[in-house]
Amino acid sequence: MKESRGAAWLTAALLLAACGEPLAPVSVSAIDIEQTTVMLDAVNGVSALAVVIRDASGGALPKPGTLVWTSANTAVATVDANGVVMAHAQGDTYIRVAYEAKKDSALVRVRAEVAFTARLETIQNRLLDEASTAADAAMVVQRPMP
């Protein structure tokens, strides 16, 4: 019994020696949001931001644990834990991502929603009010808009 224990210890020691040095953990050198500017055309518009994590040589690394996302102005846009941005009001804000001491940001611009349909209906209603007969009104509604 003593010989088998000794052999087991010797085998374990040889296996550990054959493996060499344990791998050092790869440290994150930089975190980059791929989009530097995001344009959202409407309130409730959504865009997903993509992130690249880099090592010291600039190579891409797998996504580490938890990334921390924040918005500089949550009245304009918010961001969730996955980097998905949602517009709330017209304006500009910066979305930031951080992992350990590494950070990056992207500008998010929210433009006012253009209510094209409502505007077209207003124009048609004005034209209908000015039409003198029902036949004139039918022609106004069917006429293509410039």
Side-chain angles (χ1 to χ4, degrees):
M1 197 69 142
K2 286 185 181 181
E3 288 180 28
S4 65
R5 279 191 190 171
W9 280 105
L10 180 59
T11 303
L14 289 172
L15 285 173
L16 285 173
C19 290
E21 294 286 324
L23 294 175
V26 178
S27 66
V28 172
S29 179
I31 184 168
D32 298 318
I33 299 176
E34 290 184 344
Q35 307 93 319
T36 56
T37 303
V38 175
M39 301 292 288
L40 295 173
D41 291 330
V43 173
N44 296 325
V46 176
S47 180
L49 298 176
V51 173
V52 177
I53 310 297
R54 301 193 183 280
D55 61 16
S57 66
L61 296 171
K63 182 180 167 192
T66 303
L67 300 175
V68 178
W69 293 91
T70 57
S71 172
N73 186 346
T74 57
V76 172
T78 54
V79 61
D80 70 13
N82 298 310
V84 177
V85 179
M86 177 175 270
H88 297 291
Q90 181 176 349
D92 295 345
T93 188
Y94 282 93
I95 300 297
R96 294 184 177 94
V97 64
Y99 178 74
E100 295 175 346
K102 310 303 185 241
K103 299 175 186 175
D104 195 20
S105 62
L107 174 64
V108 172
R109 293 199 154 159
V110 180
R111 296 188 291 179
E113 182 173 2
V114 177
F116 178 75
T117 305
R119 191 169 174 207
L120 181 60
E121 287 175 3
T122 301
I123 292 168
Q124 286 179 341
N125 287 336
R126 274 194 209 149
L127 291 172
L128 288 173
D129 289 342
E130 294 175 11
S132 60
T133 66
D136 290 340
M139 287 177 34
V140 167
V141 172
Q142 294 175 0
R143 187 181 325 148
M145 298 300 289

